[in-house]
Amino acid sequence: RVTVPAGWVDVTDQVEQEVEIAARAGEMSDGFYTNVVVDRENPINDLEASLEQAAQDIAGEDGSYEMLDPVRVAGEEALGYTVTRTVEGVEIAQTQRWIPHGDHLYVVTLSVAASRAEEGEKVLADLLDGWEWRD
């Protein structure tokens, strides 16, 4: 369970793949809707190696990435990275946190216009600070 910022809207039904949560800001900032997606996947054996490979793949040849220090999310260690790349003419920053819990891996992705990356970091920190497991 997570709490998204006030004024955000649920867009889970607009995401092409099945996800646990998808929400976005009510208004664009610098040509982009800040948004968060939470996906539940099967666990990965070598999480650290897979994480860095995912960061490289998402960044592609034209983007860049930075591996982040682990953080604690509701008692679990969450590894992560931030990718900066251009999507449809807008430079965006995407931060992912991979949180293993029980028989699943939860992948949390916050996407924000790169010009608003500092604000995005606070949104993600607040979201992760309020994270609760329902099991």
Side-chain angles (χ1 to χ4, degrees):
R1 180 186 347 233
V2 298
T3 301
V4 297
W8 280 39
V9 294
D10 184 339
V11 293
T12 304
D13 60 349
Q14 297 176 26
V15 178
E16 292 179 17
Q17 74 266 19
E18 187 175 328
V19 297
E20 296 296 306
I21 298 166
R24 68 164 173 78
E27 297 183 14
M28 283 189 169
S29 294
D30 296 341
F32 188 79
Y33 282 106
T34 299
N35 67 83
V36 66
V37 175
V38 178
D39 191 16
R40 182 176 65 181
E41 301 180 3
N42 292 324
I44 297 173
N45 289 335
D46 190 352
L47 196 57
E48 288 188 40
S50 296
L51 186 76
E52 186 147 8
Q53 185 61 55
Q56 290 174 3
D57 291 347
I58 292 171
E61 292 183 18
D62 298 329
S64 62
Y65 71 94
E66 175 187 358
M67 302 306 294
L68 303 174
D69 291 332
V71 297
R72 300 297 291 178
V73 176
E76 305 287 1
E77 182 178 72
L79 302 176
Y81 59 83
T82 297
V83 169
T84 304
R85 62 191 180 117
T86 301
V87 175
E88 297 178 8
V90 178
E91 186 177 29
I92 65 167
Q94 292 179 293
T95 300
Q96 280 196 341
R97 286 291 179 177
W98 292 17
I99 312 165
H101 181 73
D103 293 335
H104 300 287
L105 173 67
Y106 293 85
V107 179
V108 180
T109 306
L110 181 91
S111 302
V112 60
S115 59
R116 304 287 182 137
E118 197 169 304
E119 293 170 33
E121 289 175 19
K122 180 166 178 12
V123 168
L124 184 58
D126 288 348
L127 186 136
L128 295 176
D129 284 345
W131 191 282
E132 295 178 22
W133 301 112
R134 293 190 303 188
D135 57 10

